[in-house]
């Protein structure tokens, strides 16, 4: 393919179920590796370096997650001192997204970039109300040419994702907080994009170590850049209860006061939690709160003696063992407790999901586990939420509509896999977070200072190189809701440590969730990922410079 050609039309073949079936009518099939050459800037800049040259704009396909369809060509658009951000404001959401974009662009460009709803065909245009039903709720088109760059979507989430694409098409310096030189060019052409999966999640364990609202917001911003749309908060565990519950106040005030290693823990007041939910939703992420039950409950058992089968409260726990605590399945008060907690948490949570854990209940008998999980699921239903549980939930009786989160790995036995696949055949939906692929707390290699290694070392390629559609044998493709990248916090204590483990693996999981299977190609991905390195740096993200990725020199 000749990268210096003016206009090239590329249609990506999608082998998987797709939100854009129309795209199957391929005009030209390219491999994912081919995107990088096709998307090269007119003028013939080398595309395989992953970095546009100083003068050529970044090619349209060179973003993470890879877009579904790229039609490169035509003149680039340049943001200048005179650029306006034009919104067509029906709902106020386009205006809000325009203001958000201006907030990203103003410090580094130094331009005023006023947001206006006065009509006009020039500038950066954010338009809601596309009639292209194939874009779905989260898709968008981005058209760039000499006079304007226009992002069009059916709904605000799509517009917001399109804005993330625009960000990535600009030089990495755009992320900096002080004025940079530019030029601020966007390559000419059209991106048409929509996600492969509806559930693209990251989990933060705020129990083993507590993370402040500010730290959670920082992570939300990073997830948004890669078009993730769920934030799963692991709000309770043996080492700390992190959410205020009015009817059981000691859960937070007593059960939240420490963390792994014995440091001062903390908890979210209801207004803190609402602020996290609000901020997440302003970035089009839905919060999925988790109260881990019936195991992983030492902090609750320590706070209220009556929750224990023997009526004696254990001490607070600051170690890292698992599987030693259990709620008392035969006691009536256990279900009063679960009802109160679920009711209050459901009332605080606008999203549809509520996660009730269910993992590693090694101190709960099988019968008690089944009794407990079945009653807990019913309680979640009472408060109008969809149950999510770790995949051990499939050992109880998943309710209709329940979601099981698979966290097995290569060494998970055939019987356990089959139990989950059978549940999926019976209608249970699956979110995949294989521990030896997507667990961001696994060490990269033997020299990684932070993290654990029980699932093995997880290098960047291993984390990216798998297919959610075929990963769990026997699970129907349409049972797969999406993917999640959890980070457990036994060893990570602050944002910097989270980022060392999440970057650069998190963008790879985000890409598995978003991009068509046809774009999946490690050799092409590692080049696109390499181009994210300067962006991570500009954002102050201290990432792992894996030798598997051809990072530009810094
Ligand atoms: C397993 S994954 C756990 C967590 C630990 C994690 C550490 C899962 C559902 N349970 O309790 O924090 O391993 O990697």
């Amino acid at each position: 393919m000749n990268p210096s050609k003016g206009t090239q039309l590329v249609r990506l073949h999608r082998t998987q179920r797709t939100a854009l079936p129309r795209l199957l009518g391929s005009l030209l099939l390219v491999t994912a590796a081919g995107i990088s050459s096709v998307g090269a800037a007119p003028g013939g800049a080398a595309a395989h370096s992953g970095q546009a040259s100083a003068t050529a704009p970044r090619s349209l396909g060179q973003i993470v997650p890879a877009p579904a369809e790229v039609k490169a060509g035509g003149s680039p658009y340049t943001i200048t001192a005179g650029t306006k951000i034009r919104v067509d404001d029906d709902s106020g959401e386009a205006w809000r997204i325009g203001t958000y974009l201006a907030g990203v662009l103003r410090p580094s460009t130094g331009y005023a970039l006023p947001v206006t709803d006065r009509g006009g065909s020039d500038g950066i245009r954010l338009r809601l109300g596309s009639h292209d039903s194939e874009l779905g709720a989260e898709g968008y088109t981005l058209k760039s040419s000499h006079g304007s760059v226009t992002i069009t979507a059916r709904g605000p989430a799509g517009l917001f994702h399109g804005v993330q694409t625009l960000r990535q098409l600009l030089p990495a310096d755009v992320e900096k907080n002080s004025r940079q030189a530019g030029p601020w060019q966007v390559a000419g052409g059209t991106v048409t994009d929509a996600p492969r999966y509806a559930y693209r999640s990251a989990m933060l364990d705020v129990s083993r170590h507590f993370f402040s609202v500010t730290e959670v917001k920082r992570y939300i911003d990073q997830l948004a850049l890669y078009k993730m749309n769920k934030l799963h908060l692991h709000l309770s565990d043996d080492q700390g209860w992190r959410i205020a519950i009015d009817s059981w106040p000691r859960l937070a005030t007593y059960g939240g006061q420490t963390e792994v290693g014995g440091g001062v823990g903390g908890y979210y007041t209801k207004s803190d939690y609402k602020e996290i939910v609000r901020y997440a939703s302003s970035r089009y992420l839905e919060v999925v709160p988790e109260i881990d039950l019936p195991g992983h409950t030492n902090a609750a058992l320590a706070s209220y003696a009556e929750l224990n089968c023997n009526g004696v409260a254990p001490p607070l726990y600051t170690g890292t063992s698992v599987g030693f605590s259990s709620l008392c399945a035969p006691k009536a008060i256990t279900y009063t407790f679960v009802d109160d907690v679920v009711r209050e948490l459901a009332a605080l949570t606008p999203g549809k999901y509520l996660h009730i854990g269910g993992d590693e209940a090694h101190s709960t008998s099988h019968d008690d586990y089944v009794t407990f999980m079945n009653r807990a699921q019913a309680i979640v239903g009472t408060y109008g939420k969809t149950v999510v549980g770790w995949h051990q939930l499939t050992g109880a009786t998943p309710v209709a509509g329940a979601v099981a989160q698979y966290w097995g790995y290569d060494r998970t036995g055939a019987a356990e896999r089959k139990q989950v696949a059978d549940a999926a055949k019976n209608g249970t939906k699956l979110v995949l977070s294989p521990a030896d692929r997507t667990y961001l707390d696994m060490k990269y290699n033997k020299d990684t200072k932070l993290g654990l290694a029980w699932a093995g070392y997880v290098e960047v390629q291993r984390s990216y190189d798998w297919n959610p559609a075929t990963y769990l044998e026997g699970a129907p493709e349409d049972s797969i809701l999406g993917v999640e990248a959890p980070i457990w916090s036994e060893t990570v204590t602050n944002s910097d440590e989270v980022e060392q483990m999440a970057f650069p693996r998190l963008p790879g999981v985000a890409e598995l969730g978003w991009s068509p299977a046809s774009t999946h190609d490690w050799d092409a991905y590692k080049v696109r990922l390499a181009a994210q390195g300067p962006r991570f740096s500009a954002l102050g993200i201290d990432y792992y410079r894996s030798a598997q990725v051809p990072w530009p020199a810094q």
Side-chain angles (χ1 to χ4, degrees):
M1 200 152 310
N2 173 5
S4 63
K5 234 170 135 188
T7 299
Q8 287 154 337
L9 186 60
V10 179
R11 294 231 164 175
L12 301 179
H13 179 59
R14 301 182 136 222
T15 54
Q16 303 300 332
R17 199 168 55 84
T18 170
L20 292 172
R22 182 168 54 94
L23 300 185
L24 277 167
S26 326
L27 295 180
L28 174 58
L29 297 187
V30 292
T31 63
I35 301 173
S36 50
S37 54
V38 171
H48 286 290
S49 66
Q51 269 278 67
S53 77
T55 49
R58 180 180 304 271
S59 343
L60 292 181
Q62 288 294 308
I63 61 171
V64 178
E69 186 188 60
V70 170
K71 191 174 148 187
S75 317
Y77 173 70
T78 306
I79 301 176
T80 66
T83 297
K84 292 186 170 57
I85 298 177
R86 297 189 185 278
V87 300
D88 63 340
D89 206 39
D90 287 332
S91 61
E93 297 244 21
W95 181 280
R96 221 185 41 66
I97 294 167
T99 306
Y100 162 91
L101 175 61
V104 173
L105 302 181
R106 281 174 187 151
S108 50
T109 61
Y111 302 149
L113 301 173
V115 181
T116 173
D117 60 3
R118 293 237 189 95
S121 57
D122 62 318
I124 299 172
R125 300 163 73 219
L126 304 181
R127 305 178 65 82
L128 274 173
S130 161
H131 297 298
D132 186 350
S133 64
E134 288 162 1
L135 290 178
E138 292 194 288
Y140 66 91
T141 57
L142 180 150
K143 286 192 184 123
S144 168
S145 62
H146 178 66
S148 63
V149 54
T150 303
I151 304 172
T152 310
R154 284 170 66 77
L159 206 52
F160 185 78
H161 296 322
V163 160
Q164 303 309 320
T165 293
L166 175 60
R167 252 174 105 174
Q168 286 199 24
L169 291 173
L170 291 164
D173 273 356
V174 81
E175 308 295 348
K176 293 187 176 162
N177 269 331
S178 58
R179 192 168 179 161
Q180 306 295 313
W184 307 107
Q185 285 196 325
V186 182
T190 303
V191 176
T192 306
D193 203 9
R196 179 180 182 188
Y197 292 111
Y199 201 109
R200 306 179 307 279
S201 180
M203 187 204 82
L204 185 61
D205 171 7
V206 296
S207 177
R208 271 53 176 272
H209 281 97
F210 184 62
F211 291 83
S212 67
V213 173
T214 305
E215 288 174 315
V216 175
K217 287 181 176 178
R218 183 174 163 88
Y219 202 42
I220 287 170
D221 280 330
Q222 293 164 356
L223 301 176
L225 176 58
Y226 296 100
K227 303 187 174 80
M228 295 289 232
N229 69 357
K230 302 276 182 282
L231 174 68
H232 169 184
L233 284 177
H234 186 75
L235 289 169
S236 71
D237 213 301
D238 292 318
Q239 297 85 347
W241 186 284
R242 307 299 181 202
I243 178 74
I245 299 293
D246 296 337
S247 50
W248 297 73
R250 274 173 62 81
L251 291 169
T253 58
Y254 182 77
Q257 66 187 297
T258 189
E259 60 185 7
V260 166
V264 178
Y267 64 89
Y268 305 122
T269 63
K270 287 193 168 179
S271 70
D272 288 340
Y273 179 82
K274 283 185 193 158
E275 176 58 13
I276 291 172
V277 167
R278 184 202 64 78
Y279 194 81
S281 106
S282 77
R283 271 71 178 146
Y284 298 92
L285 279 101
E286 178 178 353
V287 171
V288 179
E290 178 188 356
I291 299 296
D292 201 349
L293 305 168
H296 291 277
T297 43
N298 189 76
L301 296 166
S303 304
Y304 288 97
E306 58 269 42
L307 291 176
N308 295 268
C309 277
N310 66 1
V312 179
L316 293 170
Y317 181 69
T318 60
T320 59
S321 294
V322 296
F324 61 88
S325 57
S326 180
L327 291 175
C328 188
K331 272 193 173 179
I333 194 170
T334 296
Y335 303 96
T336 308
F337 164 77
V338 173
D339 195 285
D340 288 339
V341 169
V342 168
R343 183 185 66 251
E344 291 193 33
L345 193 54
L348 290 174
T349 304
K352 76 183 261 204
Y353 299 102
L354 201 146
H355 200 311
I356 53 172
D359 59 314
E360 297 174 323
H362 305 320
S363 302
T364 317
S365 73
H366 176 70
D367 287 351
D368 280 357
Y369 181 81
V370 173
T371 303
F372 177 87
M373 291 306 279
N374 289 351
R375 286 189 67 173
Q377 290 183 86
I379 291 168
V380 172
T382 307
Y383 296 108
K385 298 297 181 190
T386 297
V387 170
V388 188
W390 297 103
H391 74 252
Q392 283 73 19
L393 173 67
T394 58
T397 317
V399 292
V403 177
Q405 182 170 354
Y406 183 70
W407 60 283
Y409 63 129
D410 280 1
R411 293 210 293 274
T412 296
E416 187 169 343
R417 287 166 186 267
K418 185 173 182 304
Q419 176 182 296
V420 180
D422 286 349
K425 283 180 192 149
N426 284 328
T428 297
K429 298 291 184 200
L430 302 181
V431 171
L432 302 179
S433 54
D436 54 356
R437 303 283 182 173
T438 76
Y439 269 33
L440 301 177
D441 62 312
M442 289 300 121
K443 291 177 183 290
Y444 297 100
N445 59 45
K446 66 174 178 26
D447 298 324
T448 311
K449 288 197 183 64
L450 300 168
L452 305 173
W454 64 263
Y457 299 132
V458 182
E459 252 292 357
V460 181
Q461 180 172 4
R462 180 167 180 80
S463 178
Y464 167 83
D465 230 348
W466 59 285
N467 181 358
T470 55
Y471 181 77
L472 188 65
E473 198 186 324
E477 262 189 60
D478 66 0
S479 70
I480 310 298
L481 270 190
V483 293
E484 181 176 290
I487 187 156
W488 299 97
S489 62
E490 285 94 338
T491 65
V492 300
T493 69
N494 56 38
S495 289
D496 180 51
E497 292 174 353
V498 165
E499 288 157 25
Q500 288 177 42
M501 300 307 282
F503 292 90
R505 290 179 292 196
L506 178 82
V509 180
E511 173 146 329
L512 287 172
W514 180 279
S515 304
S518 59
T519 65
H520 188 92
D521 180 273
W522 165 253
D523 288 326
Y525 173 68
K526 72 181 180 192
V527 174
R528 281 183 291 108
L529 180 60
Q532 299 293 309
R535 194 164 303 266
F536 300 153
S537 299
L539 288 164
I541 294 172
D542 184 10
Y543 65 102
Y544 163 58
R545 283 176 68 87
S546 168
Q548 296 182 331
V549 180
W551 307 107
Q554 57 172 11

